[in-house]
Amino acid sequence: DALQNRADALLGRADTIDALIDTTQEDLGKKRKEFEHYKNRAQTEMAISLQAEDKEALLRKEARDARLKAAELSDKARSLRALAQKGVNNVLEAALPPPAPAP
């Protein structure tokens, strides 16, 4: 009788341990799925971040190039204005009568 009680207790304990193992396996399965989900999400976000950094670098380069081009065009415009002013001054000088000689 005592042996039977001991056997029943051991079987009950084994059932409890089996249930605990099953619960732990289910829990680990859920955590593994969550881990994979977040790992994939992190990889996707990392790729997006790298693309954004590449795009930022490209935009910075294009902005530098645009500033350089704008400076070159500004210099050309300044030269053209100076040339035009010189032309206007030459035309005005040619159109004015020569000054009268001083007595």
Side-chain angles (χ1 to χ4, degrees):
D1 196 35
L3 194 56
Q4 184 62 39
N5 288 342
R6 181 87 171 128
D8 289 343
L10 286 175
L11 284 174
R13 242 175 111 189
D15 288 342
T16 303
I17 290 172
D18 284 342
L20 184 60
I21 289 171
D22 290 341
T23 304
T24 303
Q25 286 177 334
E26 288 175 14
D27 199 30
L28 285 174
K30 288 177 188 175
K31 287 183 180 183
R32 191 174 294 118
K33 283 182 183 179
E34 281 184 36
F35 170 77
E36 289 297 325
H37 167 75
Y38 287 114
K39 183 179 88 170
N40 291 337
R41 185 173 169 182
Q43 288 173 340
T44 301
E45 289 177 1
M46 180 61 82
I48 291 169
S49 175
L50 290 174
Q51 283 179 334
E53 288 175 7
D54 291 346
K55 182 72 172 178
E56 179 185 15
L58 177 65
L59 289 173
R60 286 184 188 279
K61 181 187 177 300
E62 288 176 353
R64 280 192 305 273
D65 293 345
R67 282 193 295 274
L68 179 64
K69 185 71 172 173
E72 290 171 357
L73 291 175
S74 178
D75 288 345
K76 280 185 181 181
R78 201 173 0 269
S79 296
L80 286 174
R81 277 195 300 274
L83 186 61
Q85 187 62 49
K86 185 176 178 183
V88 167
N89 290 345
N90 288 342
V91 168
L92 285 177
E93 282 180 20
L96 291 176

